[in-house]
């Protein structure tokens, strides 16, 4: 039987199980999926994508925006190109299906072209690897696909993440001859596996008495975080990409507050998600005098220092405010207001052309979803932006790499366009450094091909500015820093945008950037915004309450 029949059955099962997008990367061994897609076997959105690495991060962006994507690639090195996106999805707990076409077993290990041992290539980074051979469409085949989708979404009780479906196709890889028996119309009985929610533990049993507590939300935080804060009186501190900002009620300047004198009075922290940005937050969570309650329904939970006193899958809000919570919350509000004034004064005394000034300008001038580069941009927003209220904010902090940031932004734009979740509508604004953009420049083709409503703000600090804010900025000489850490690229960004069919603008000041962002524009746009590194500001803002 033609492998196209198997591909069609897999696609119809994926469609029945709620997969929303299929991204197809061209190849010969994966060609059965191309024929099946052309025949309408998949009911969702299907899109051809040239580059496998870009397709992987496009899927990451779609998953971040609430979609359920599948990426189809051919055999050999094409599978390995998905590895960076698979790692990001694994650590960020994003559902993603990697459908990898393969040679039959007898062609592996004998020198056949484009054949390698690609099954389970992603090892522990994939929640599961489902191996399939070309076969007649059947309930059993649909059942295997059902298991793959369930593992990807974390059903019934696992953690969401990437799953590999490795399909060994045999010749012929083309459709059956005219008049041959097909399987179109044969019903697919896919098994639906709902995600099981854990039973929340009583606040009193998990947290107990506390008088100076904080709720700290990292990436993938519980949607209950705001409710815990409101009911307990504990202020809610949140990283930009935790998801907590969309619901509001967040106290800004988390790093300044925790690094200041007030941080020494904290006696209890309820932490949800993965806080990864801030050394002051990590130090607080490691403090032996602080009771740390981790809320996470999946292992491994976040407890870098091993200091957690309690780990619970879910937590019910308290029935009344905790201890002296009102007085404590008032102190935190006063510290927040003081931090805001001092940060404003500090920036007003500067050039006004730093990454931090740019972050504040973007927050003021845009109102749609944000995608923040995982190095300097997300830190600038975390340190000094006073509010992201009602915003959906995304950043690839699962592995905190610069890989695929443009492709991720395109995925967020595509997913947000059809999403009705809070903060999901409107034009997407992506902020990234020059090295991050150069690293994924080919994905500008994705932005153009999809006509994404996307502004790519290129915060150009002439190389790797993130390292200047770390210990390397002081340890390396200027020449050594520029040679080994800065790696400034000589790029004509206007020409680069034009080459890929993306419109271009330049903003020499944050005020110009605000004006450009406030002006509607169809399709994708690159905005080149040169900024100063101003590495000293990061430490100064962090310690502004000391």
């Amino acid at each position: 039987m033609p492998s196209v029949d198997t591909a069609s059955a897999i696609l119809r099962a994926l469609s029945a199980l709620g997969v929303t997008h299929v991204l197809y990367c061209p190849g010969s061994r994966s060609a059965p999926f191309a024929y099946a897609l052309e025949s309408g076997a998949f009911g969702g959105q299907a899109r051809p994508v040239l580059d496998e690495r870009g397709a992987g991060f496009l899927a990451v962006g779609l998953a971040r925006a609430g979609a359920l994507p599948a990426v189809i690639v051919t055999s050999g090195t094409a599978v390995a190109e998905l590895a960076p996106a698979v790692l990001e999805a694994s650590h960020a707990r994003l559902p993603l299906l990697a459908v990898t076409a393969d040679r039959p077993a007898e062609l592996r290990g004998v020198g056949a072209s484009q054949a390698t041992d690609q099954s389970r290539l992603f090892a522990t980074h994939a929640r599961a690897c489902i191996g399939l051979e070309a076969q007649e469409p059947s309930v059993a085949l649909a059942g295997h696909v059902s298991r793959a989708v369930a593992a990807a979404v974390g059903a019934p009780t696992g953690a969401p993440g990437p799953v590999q479906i490795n399909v060994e196709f045999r010749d012929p890889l083309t459709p059956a001859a005219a008049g041959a028996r097909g399987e179109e119309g044969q019903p697919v009985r896919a098994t639906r596996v709902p995600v099981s929610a854990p039973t929340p533990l009583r606040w009193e049993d998990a947290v107990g008495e506390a008088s100076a507590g904080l709720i700290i939300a990292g990436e993938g935080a519980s949607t209950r975080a705001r409710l815990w804060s409101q009911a307990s009186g504990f202020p809610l501190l949140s990283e930009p990409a935790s998801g907590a900002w969309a619901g509001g009620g967040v106290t800004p300047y988390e790093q300044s507050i925790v690094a200041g004198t007030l941080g020494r009075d904290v006696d209890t922290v309820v932490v949800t998600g993965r806080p990864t940005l801030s050394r002051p937050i990590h130090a607080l969570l490691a403090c032996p005098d602080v009771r740390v309650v981790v809320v996470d329904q999946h292992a491994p939970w976040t407890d870098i220092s091993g200091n957690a006193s309690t780990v619970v899958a879910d937590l019910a809000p308290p029935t009344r405010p905790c201890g002296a919570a009102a007085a404590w919350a008032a102190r935190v509000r006063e510290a927040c207001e003081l931090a805001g004034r001092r940060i404003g004064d500090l920036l007003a005394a500067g050039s006004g052309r730093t990454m931090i000034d740019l972050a504040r300008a973007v927050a003021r001038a845009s109102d749609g979803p944000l995608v923040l580069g995982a190095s300097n941009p997300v830190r600038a927003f975390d340190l000094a932006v006073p509010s992201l209220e009602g915003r959906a904010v995304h950043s690839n902090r699962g592995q905190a790499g610069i890989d695929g940031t443009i492709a991720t932004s395109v995925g967020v734009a595509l997913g947000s366009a059809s999403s009705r979740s809070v903060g999901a509508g409107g034009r997407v604004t992506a902020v990234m450094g020059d090295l991050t953009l150069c690293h994924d420049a080919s994905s500008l083709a994705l932005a153009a091909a999809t006509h994404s409503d996307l502004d790519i703000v290129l915060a150009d600090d002439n190389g790797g500015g993130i390292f200047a804010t770390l210990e390397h900025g002081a340890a390396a000489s200027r020449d050594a820093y520029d040679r080994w850490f800065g790696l400034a690229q000589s790029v004509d960004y206007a020409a680069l945008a034009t080459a890929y069919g993306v419109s271009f603008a330049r903003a020499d000041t944050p005020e110009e950037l605000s004006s450009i962002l406030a002006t509607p524009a169809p399709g994708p746009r690159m905005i080149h915004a040169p900024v100063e590194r101003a590495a000293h500001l990061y430490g100064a803002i962090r310690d502004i309450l000391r």
Side-chain angles (χ1 to χ4, degrees):
M1 59 160 284
S3 294
V4 175
D5 290 351
T6 302
S8 295
I10 291 171
L11 287 170
R12 289 189 297 124
L14 290 175
S15 184
L17 289 162
V19 172
T20 58
H21 295 73
V22 163
L23 309 174
Y24 173 81
C25 300
S28 178
R29 191 58 48 167
S30 60
F33 285 110
Y35 293 112
L37 288 167
E38 183 67 16
S39 71
F42 180 68
Q45 297 185 37
R47 184 180 303 277
V49 180
L50 174 63
D51 173 59
E52 291 86 3
R53 182 174 166 275
F57 279 100
L58 179 58
V60 166
L62 284 164
R64 288 195 176 282
L68 180 55
V71 183
I72 298 174
V73 301
T74 196
S75 60
T77 58
V79 182
E81 293 286 350
L82 294 179
V86 166
L87 263 68
E88 176 63 27
S90 179
H91 289 271
R93 296 176 179 171
L94 298 171
L96 187 155
L97 291 150
V99 183
T100 56
D102 201 355
R103 260 62 174 166
E106 65 269 17
L107 292 184
R108 292 196 295 273
V110 296
S113 175
Q114 207 169 324
T116 188
D117 186 5
Q118 66 185 48
S119 179
R120 301 187 183 278
L121 177 68
F122 308 120
T124 58
H125 302 294
R127 299 293 183 265
C129 177
I130 308 295
L132 297 174
E133 295 181 351
Q135 57 191 279
E136 294 286 343
S138 65
V139 172
L141 176 59
H144 285 299
V145 178
S146 297
R147 291 176 184 273
V149 174
V153 300
T157 59
V163 168
Q164 182 184 11
I165 302 176
N166 195 65
V167 190
E168 296 181 5
F169 284 134
R170 298 178 183 278
D171 292 338
L173 304 175
T174 53
R181 182 184 65 83
E183 46 73 43
E184 185 176 0
Q186 186 173 1
V188 172
R189 284 173 33 199
T191 304
R192 291 191 172 274
V193 186
V195 177
S196 298
T199 301
L201 193 66
R202 292 175 68 245
W203 178 280
E204 292 74 15
D205 294 335
V207 182
E209 293 297 324
S211 58
L214 297 173
I215 312 293
I216 293 180
E219 183 189 42
S222 170
T223 55
R224 293 177 181 263
R226 183 184 185 187
L227 185 58
W228 299 333
S229 176
Q230 291 174 330
S232 67
F234 291 177
L236 171 59
L237 308 184
S238 171
E239 293 185 355
S242 71
W245 279 103
V250 175
T251 300
Y253 314 126
E254 60 163 354
Q255 297 194 43
S256 300
I257 289 171
V258 171
T261 56
L262 202 66
R264 294 194 288 269
D265 295 333
V266 176
D267 61 18
T268 303
V269 173
V270 176
V271 60
T272 174
R274 295 177 61 245
T276 60
L277 279 179
S278 163
R279 292 185 179 183
I281 295 292
H282 287 174
L284 176 65
L285 296 177
C287 182
D289 296 332
V290 176
R291 176 175 170 80
V292 177
V293 178
V294 175
V295 185
D296 196 334
Q297 68 182 89
H298 306 300
W301 54 82
T302 299
D303 182 23
I304 297 171
S305 63
N307 191 48
S309 59
T310 306
V311 178
V312 298
D314 199 1
L315 184 63
T319 56
R320 57 181 176 80
C322 301
W328 166 249
R331 290 181 61 197
V332 174
R333 281 195 302 273
E334 291 172 1
C336 174
E337 292 167 1
L338 178 59
R341 291 194 298 272
R342 289 184 176 178
I343 292 170
D345 292 343
L346 179 66
L347 295 177
S351 68
R353 299 183 59 182
T354 70
M355 179 79 78
I356 291 173
D357 294 296
L358 179 146
R360 288 163 71 98
V362 169
R364 288 192 304 267
S366 63
D367 59 5
L370 287 170
V371 180
L372 305 179
S375 54
N376 257 357
V378 71
R379 287 176 169 84
F381 275 78
D382 189 52
L383 277 169
V385 169
S387 178
L388 293 169
E389 189 92 5
R391 305 287 292 271
V393 186
H394 309 278
S395 184
N396 282 342
R397 293 294 299 177
Q399 283 290 276
I402 65 173
D403 311 73
T405 306
I406 295 176
T408 298
S409 304
V410 174
V412 169
L414 291 178
S416 298
S418 57
S419 172
R420 297 184 179 181
S421 60
V422 175
R427 189 171 176 85
V428 173
T429 304
V431 183
M432 64 193 72
D434 48 314
L435 295 191
T436 296
L437 184 139
C438 290
H439 200 275
D440 196 30
S442 64
S443 290
L444 290 169
L446 282 176
T450 57
H451 307 289
S452 300
D453 286 328
L454 171 66
D455 281 325
I456 301 170
V457 177
L458 166 56
D460 184 0
D461 59 0
N462 197 35
I466 180 62
F467 303 111
T469 70
L470 305 175
E471 57 269 27
H472 314 294
S477 68
R478 177 64 181 270
D479 288 345
Y481 182 92
D482 288 341
R483 182 180 302 111
W484 301 111
F485 296 100
L487 264 68
Q489 305 293 297
S490 179
V491 176
D492 183 338
Y493 292 107
L496 179 66
T498 300
Y500 281 105
V502 174
S503 64
F504 179 84
R506 181 180 170 100
D508 288 313
T509 66
E511 291 73 24
E512 290 181 15
L513 175 60
S514 295
S515 178
I516 294 170
L517 289 173
T519 304
R525 175 172 58 178
M526 182 196 298
I527 306 170
H528 184 199
V531 294
E532 299 170 4
R533 286 182 183 169
H536 67 284
L537 283 179
Y538 290 78
I541 292 174
R542 189 180 303 118
D543 298 335
I544 209 156
L545 294 179
R546 286 187 175 178

